[in-house]
Amino acid sequence: MSIQKPTLPKGTRDFGPQVMAKRNYILDTIKSTFKLFGFQQLETPSMENLSVLTGKYGDEGDQLLYKILNSGDFLKKVTAEKLSKGSNAVLPLVAEKGLRYDLTVPFARYVVMNRNDITFPFKRFQIQPVWRADRPQRGRYREFYQCDADVVGTDSLVCEAEIILMIKRVFSELKLNDYSIKINNRKILTGISEVIGEPGRESDLCVSIDKLDKIGWEKVREELEQKGFSEASIEKLGPIIDMGSKDKFEFLQIFLASSEVGLQGLNELREVFDLLGSFKEDEEFVDFDVVLARGLSYYTGAIFEVKVNNVSIGSVSGGGRYDNLTGVFGLEGVSGVGFSFGVDRLYDVLEELELFPEESLKSTTLMVAHFGEDALSHGLNVLTEARKLGISAEIFPDDAKMKKQFNYADKKNIPFVIIIGSEEIKSGEVTLKNMESGEQRQMGLQEALKQIKQSV
Amino acid sequence: MSIQKPTLPKGTRDFGPQVMAKRNYILDTIKSTFKLFGFQQLETPSMENLSVLTGKYGDEGDQLLYKILNSGDFLKKVTAEKLSKGSNAVLPLVAEKGLRYDLTVPFARYVVMNRNDITFPFKRFQIQPVWRADRPQRGRYREFYQCDADVVGTDSLVCEAEIILMIKRVFSELKLNDYSIKINNRKILTGISEVIGEPGRESDLCVSIDKLDKIGWEKVREELEQKGFSEASIEKLGPIIDMGSKDKFEFLQIFLASSEVGLQGLNELREVFDLLGSFKEDEEFVDFDVVLARGLSYYTGAIFEVKVNNVSIGSVSGGGRYDNLTGVFGLEGVSGVGFSFGVDRLYDVLEELELFPEESLKSTTLMVAHFGEDALSHGLNVLTEARKLGISAEIFPDDAKMKKQFNYADKKNIPFVIIIGSEEIKSGEVTLKNMESGEQRQMGLQEALKQIKQSV
């Protein structure tokens, strides 16, 4: 076999030790928050039957699904005639399975398949990779992690309030202080479309309004005109766009007076704010944003989006309430609310703001360096004693110059080195070096370990 | 769209909350041990280029690789003529990527691609799923986790000793006490094949001897005869098989006297035992098993296998030293040693021995139950206070009968419930119920939280 230079598939990444440590810092923070709020972990297989995946993400989504070639003689059902009909006709003959595209559809499948064993309301979180055959570009990968939490089987607005509190806790733990949680309700958007005289067109309206931040009102206006919204309707939308810092609830109570569903959305939103009050949590960080729409069309109630301020990437988390998660699999009436943290984006934000704590970058706490073979075997007992105390420890395994051993400790960001040489063997003491301060001192082993233990 | 009954692909599994909690108990134990020994985490993509995967696992392995269909018009290079040549000829035209088959080849690829940035010796661990298009059967899945740790870039036998200590620690943490770590050295097997007069045939010898436990000496003997081993050679093998509890080192020192490589293997093994002594760790649990061979042919030095005694599934972990991990990718001389925990098997063993601790099955610590709407909003503050103390807590989000709320707590294995009703609102106290003892008492909120905190 000839030797090839190994490569990585486009749009995929290795996560080396440094990056993994940082990613784990984020994921552990999120996980511990989910657990603190009573969510339980679920994992589903990477492979799903294409019958489960296809048709759930729109035509574009179907194109972006990774399909797995059937095993063995995958062509056995493909005739020349079938071949002449092209890839779309041949696909079902050669591929039965695909890779997970998101965590929501597998979750819905799981709920339907296990409906008799699940105790509802079911609070689940799921942190797993998903795959999309998208064009790779900066910040967009073909394999990336999603990090979802959902509550299904209840329409209690307590869940909405809890989600906001979870987001808040994660950000506070990550020392991210300058951010805002935007919240809206899809029913308010429905109400607005009724009031402006374009009932039932909230989807079109939402898609356009969603771009307001990016392209501005004039462009949104043009787009709405192109979509056939009447000038009168667009005119009526004006006050909403200009609403600014007026009391939004007061304003919308009047604006939506003629729309039952709009008022219902407004009431739901008001209740979420009231519930936040009952939690005795400061609600200032939550911003009612009446033009927040988000692209996904399956939200039916609350809609969330979290933006970090003053960084190049803004939106790092989002979600909302949906009324019919599992209908597509034959189980009606399962309402739920969920949201998703963008791990890659949070990573970039923490990197940009230099918020990864130093501890998250440390690997081993202690390395044992040694002169000569006797010193090595002497050093092994140091490892045993250190690990007994829970201090992560390693020894440089080869006979090597001190410089090389210290270089290793340095590169691996190890904060303490214990040095063993003939002198240490004779005296029964060890030399402890603090790699940050450079300070170096001889002492008894237990004393050295005590000092290390205290400083981590 | 018609509604289909959703299904799971054969050989794959969902891991619901209970199973996840147990799996995490195992994986967290392994991870913390890896870290304690200075190993760092690596993750590689699920998808690899087929050029990286193909040819690394033998012909059978190539068949078991899952291939991913190229995106878009995957047939564009497939002519009717190509089609007539069958699946193997068409495969390279329709699939460029495959799913990870193990963690070793991606690790080797990573080392080669990042050789200039890695500080050697490189101690990495990796816990990720792998995929094999194998026939599913009890205990064999098409998607399963591997859990590997390797040290590369050193041939120090300290690494072998450390691996044994890691295995020992994991088992001790999992309260698995009745097990044995078998160790051998591939060079001893090479030496034996030299001594019996079949030099260079250690691969054939190993494959057969590996089955000794399963099929017995007579069958192994037959197999060796079929493979063309002379009767004289097989006769010479006899004392090895019968060696029993003799001092193996003493015996082999004589048996292997004429084989340089055999003696080298014996010395290496002796040094590993000496090093274990220097760690001041009891080495009784390590069993030098001269017929331990393991199937994989790429081991060149130490070979490990861990067996749990008195359970239906035995071998739960294995590994060894290899001299040339990365040669296939053009980087020669990278020696390493590693091993792998079988997570699914450990799971089954702990289940069989009922060793999962109760704590590993608990989810939320506290549920707030409530009568009526006022009580619900009153209860939200209880959540806030509990979470401040790090107590995982949730509230039943709907107005529901007490029975339903308690049923939920019960099913979710929640040990404490705080009950809020009109009486509690009036008195400012709460009712704390211990779900295990059934005991129920009224007290101040902080006192209740203190009691909960103390008992977890």
Side-chain angles (χ1 to χ4, degrees), chain B residues 300-366:
Chain B
T300 52
I303 310 167
F304 311 103
E305 189 166 86
V306 188
K307 284 201 168 146
V308 180
N309 302 322
N310 303 317
V311 292
S312 47
I313 304 160
S315 171
V316 292
S317 173
R321 177 171 287 278
Y322 39 82
D323 269 352
N324 196 4
L325 175 72
T326 53
V328 74
F329 296 123
L331 183 64
E332 298 289 337
V334 176
S335 177
V337 58
F339 77 111
S340 187
F341 281 110
V343 183
D344 289 310
R345 289 184 168 196
L346 275 173
Y347 186 100
D348 290 344
V349 166
L350 293 190
E351 199 74 287
E352 188 172 337
L353 299 174
E354 295 179 11
L355 284 175
F356 283 110
E358 244 184 84
E359 306 87 77
S360 75
L361 299 176
K362 295 219 171 89
S363 51
T364 315
T365 304
L366 167 66

Side-chain angles (χ1 to χ4, degrees), chain A residues 183-184 188-189 192 240 243 248 252 288-292:
Chain A
I183 183 168
N184 195 8
I188 293 176
L189 294 167
I192 291 173
I240 296 287
M243 190 169 52
K248 291 170 190 174
L252 286 166
F288 171 19
D289 181 358
V290 76
V291 296
L292 175 69

Side-chain angles (χ1 to χ4, degrees), chain B residues 9 28 55 74 81 145 183 185 193-194 226 240 254 275 279 296 298 306 309 354 361 377 383 394 402 405 429:
Chain B
D28 290 346
F74 60 89
E81 195 214 328
Y145 272 74
I183 181 167
N185 191 300
S193 70
E194 284 180 10
Q226 276 161 16
I240 296 286
I254 298 161
L275 287 168
F279 275 103
L296 274 172
Y298 67 76
V306 188
N309 302 322
E354 295 179 11
L361 299 176
S377 66
L383 296 182
E394 59 183 298
M402 266 300 132
Q405 298 189 45
E429 295 203 314

